[in-house]
């Protein structure tokens, strides 16, 4: 009984954080409904929805990062939360990417115009920065013992390996995730969301202790804005250039190299037959 009493404050803090995340998901969902009903222009519509999606993703990830730094009730607890909120985002943020790499992939594949891509990128940038400053204001209220405003003004460097390894890790994570995103399009929606959530959880488990396994430039900016200020070049290379490189390699492989290899193999087989 004494042990349970000792755990109760920790459970209260965890429940408060979970309540905040679920509240912002509900609030953003309501805002999306209003947006779809009130806004007609495609550009304004896309901008607001992308802003709300990025705000929700960054807000929840800030709080998840906070929870992951606490002493977990069970070793798998942080991974369970990542999987659960990946499912929540997958179900609620349909039609948005919340990731510049996703926008870049659609533009390079011809699925999105340059104007629409620029609008979405701007919305993501503003949403990421707004979520950071909102979290700073929220943490200053001290709703839990882990909510301290000083977190917003300090750099908690997640890079625990040297620069080349960090670049490879973020590029590989981006390559794997966006390859799955591209090739799971034909899978049933409910199953696809579970598969992508499991993949995100695995990537965070594999690379989280090394670089954070973020593979999302705007999310990295929101989470580690102070670090970008203190070590801009390093963080720009790892969290902006590396995921973009992963996208570029993925498109080159699946749209150019593998089709060329297949055509070349088919041609050689036909020549042998004759």
């Amino acid at each position: 009984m004494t042990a349970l009493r000792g755990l109760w404050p920790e459970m209260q803090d965890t429940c408060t954080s979970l309540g905040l995340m679920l509240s912002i998901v509900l609030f953003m969902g309501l805002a999306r409904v209003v947006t779809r009903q009130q806004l007609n222009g495609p550009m304004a519509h896309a901008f607001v929805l992308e802003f709300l999606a990025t705000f929700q993703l960054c807000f929840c990830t800030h709080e998840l990062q906070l929870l992951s730094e606490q002493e977990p009730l069970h070793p798998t607890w942080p991974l369970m939360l990542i999987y659960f909120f990946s499912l929540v985002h997958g179900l609620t943020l349909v039609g948005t990417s919340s990731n510049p790499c996703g926008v870049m992939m659609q533009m390079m594949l011809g699925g999105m115009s340059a104007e629409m891509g620029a609008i979405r990128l701007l919305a993501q940038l503003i949403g990421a920065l707004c979520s950071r400053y909102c979290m700073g204001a929220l943490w200053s209220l001290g709703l839990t013992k882990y909510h301290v405003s000083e977190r917003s003004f300090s750099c908690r460097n997640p890079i625990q390996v040297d620069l080349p390894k960090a670049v490879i890790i973020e590029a590989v994570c981006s390559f794997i995730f966006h390859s799955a995103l591209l090739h799971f399009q034909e899978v049933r929606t409910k199953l696809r969301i579970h598969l992508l959530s499991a993949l995100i959880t695995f990537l965070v488990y594999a690379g989280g202790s090394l670089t954070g396994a973020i593979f999302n430039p705007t999310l990295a900016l929101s989470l580690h804005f102070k670090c970008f200020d203190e070590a801009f070049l390093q963080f720009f290379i790892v969290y902006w250039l590396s995921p973009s490189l992963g996208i570029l390699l993925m498109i080159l492989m699946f749209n150019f190299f593998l089709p060329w290899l297949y055509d070349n193999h088919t041609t050689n087989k036909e020549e042998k037959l004759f």
Side-chain angles (χ1 to χ4, degrees):
M1 184 64 70
T2 305
L4 286 175
R5 286 176 181 172
L7 281 174
W8 178 241
E10 297 288 339
M11 293 175 65
Q12 279 186 312
D13 290 340
T14 299
C15 290
T16 300
S17 291
L18 292 175
L20 287 171
M21 287 187 280
L22 293 175
S23 297
I24 204 67
V25 169
L26 291 174
F27 182 74
M28 291 295 109
L30 179 62
R32 281 191 292 274
V33 171
V34 173
T35 298
R36 291 190 176 99
Q37 292 177 347
Q38 300 298 324
L39 287 180
N40 297 319
M43 290 294 184
H45 189 265
F47 179 88
V48 175
L49 290 181
E50 199 68 51
F51 169 84
L52 294 173
T54 306
F55 187 96
Q56 175 182 315
L57 176 66
C58 293
F59 184 101
C60 292
T61 308
H62 274 286
E63 202 65 31
L64 280 174
Q65 189 179 54
L66 191 68
L67 284 173
S68 69
E69 294 173 3
Q70 302 175 23
E71 188 66 31
L73 300 175
H74 191 273
T76 60
W77 175 241
L79 294 176
M80 289 170 60
L81 289 177
I82 291 169
Y83 179 77
F84 174 74
F85 278 96
S86 296
L87 278 178
V88 170
H89 296 322
L91 290 169
T92 59
L93 305 183
V94 177
T96 58
S97 64
S98 311
N99 188 338
C101 292
V103 174
M104 186 174 76
M105 180 178 73
Q106 292 182 59
M107 291 173 64
M108 293 179 72
L109 293 174
M112 184 182 295
S113 66
E115 294 81 4
M116 181 61 76
I119 287 291
R120 288 180 180 269
L121 290 174
L122 180 61
Q124 290 172 5
L125 181 62
I126 296 173
L129 294 177
C130 284
S131 72
R132 175 176 178 78
Y133 289 112
C134 284
M135 289 307 297
L138 183 64
W139 286 340
S140 67
L141 299 177
L143 297 177
T144 75
K145 69 178 182 180
Y146 300 101
H147 284 178
V148 289
S149 58
E150 287 76 12
R151 285 184 61 90
S152 300
F153 304 105
S154 60
C155 171
R156 296 171 178 266
N157 194 335
I159 302 175
Q160 303 300 319
V161 294
D162 55 32
L163 185 61
K165 290 181 181 178
V167 168
I168 293 171
I169 291 167
E170 288 294 317
V172 168
C173 285
S174 181
F175 180 95
I176 293 172
F177 175 72
H178 288 95
S179 297
L181 196 65
L182 183 65
H183 291 91
F184 285 175
Q185 295 299 318
E186 303 302 320
V187 179
R188 283 190 303 115
T189 302
K190 290 183 180 179
L191 178 59
R192 181 174 71 246
I193 292 171
H194 278 280
L195 289 173
L196 290 173
S197 299
L199 179 60
I200 290 170
T201 305
F202 168 75
L203 292 175
V204 172
Y205 173 75
S209 61
L210 304 175
T211 64
I214 301 172
F215 52 92
N216 183 332
T218 50
L219 179 58
L221 182 65
S222 183
L223 292 176
H224 305 295
F225 183 78
K226 190 64 179 176
C227 296
F228 273 89
D229 185 39
E230 295 179 4
F232 175 78
L233 185 60
Q234 180 189 27
F235 276 74
F236 178 77
I237 291 172
V238 173
Y239 294 114
W240 282 69
L241 291 185
S242 297
S244 302
L245 177 63
I247 288 289
L248 182 61
L249 291 174
M250 184 267 292
I251 291 175
L252 288 174
M253 174 172 285
F254 290 109
N255 281 55
F256 297 98
F257 178 70
L258 291 181
W260 172 83
L261 198 63
Y262 175 78
D263 291 340
N264 192 47
H265 178 68
T266 304
T267 303
N268 289 338
K269 283 184 68 176
E270 290 176 351
E271 289 176 353
K272 287 180 181 179
L273 288 174
F274 291 103

